[in-house]
Amino acid sequence: MIALGSDHAGFEYKEHLKNFLLNLERPYQDFGTSSAASVDYPDFAHVVSKAVASGKNQFGILICGTGIGMSIVANKHKESVPLFANLLSQQNFRANIMTPTSFVSVHA
């Protein structure tokens, strides 16, 4: 199951992603946020990262404005390896959390 989390900047992107996953019949768990109201991104990054690190969820997707903040927080959890941080550090590719930017159009 995929763990999803976003801050307010990533909320709309996350909602589109949920529809995409439903169409693919891929199960997910939404850890929030539940609206576009301003929130602190670390609150959601920690919850998703803990779920992935514990094995409760196999993968995670964390969405914020740039993807950087979520990646930094996720990288603090021992068993969660954000894709963004993994690529920057040039470690062996073993990422289990994706941190895309929400500053792209989700309207096609």
Side-chain angles (χ1 to χ4, degrees), residues 21-49:
L21 292 172
L22 280 174
N23 288 334
L24 293 177
E25 299 180 1
R26 292 297 310 255
Y28 66 84
Q29 184 174 5
D30 186 352
F31 287 93
T33 190
S34 57
S35 76
S38 184
V39 295
D40 295 327
Y41 70 87
D43 295 343
F44 303 96
H46 283 301
V47 174
V48 168
S49 298

Side-chain angles (χ1 to χ4, degrees), residues 60-76:
I61 301 174
L62 290 166
I63 308 161
C64 66
T66 64
I68 297 169
M70 291 288 201
S71 182
I72 290 169
V73 174
N75 201 42
K76 294 177 185 255

Side-chain angles (χ1 to χ4, degrees), residues 9 11 15 18 22 28 33 47 63 67 74 92 94 96 101 103:
F11 175 72
E15 295 303 300
K18 286 166 47 176
L22 280 174
Y28 66 84
T33 190
V47 174
I63 308 161
N92 292 330
R94 60 181 190 90
N96 56 12
T101 176
F103 295 149

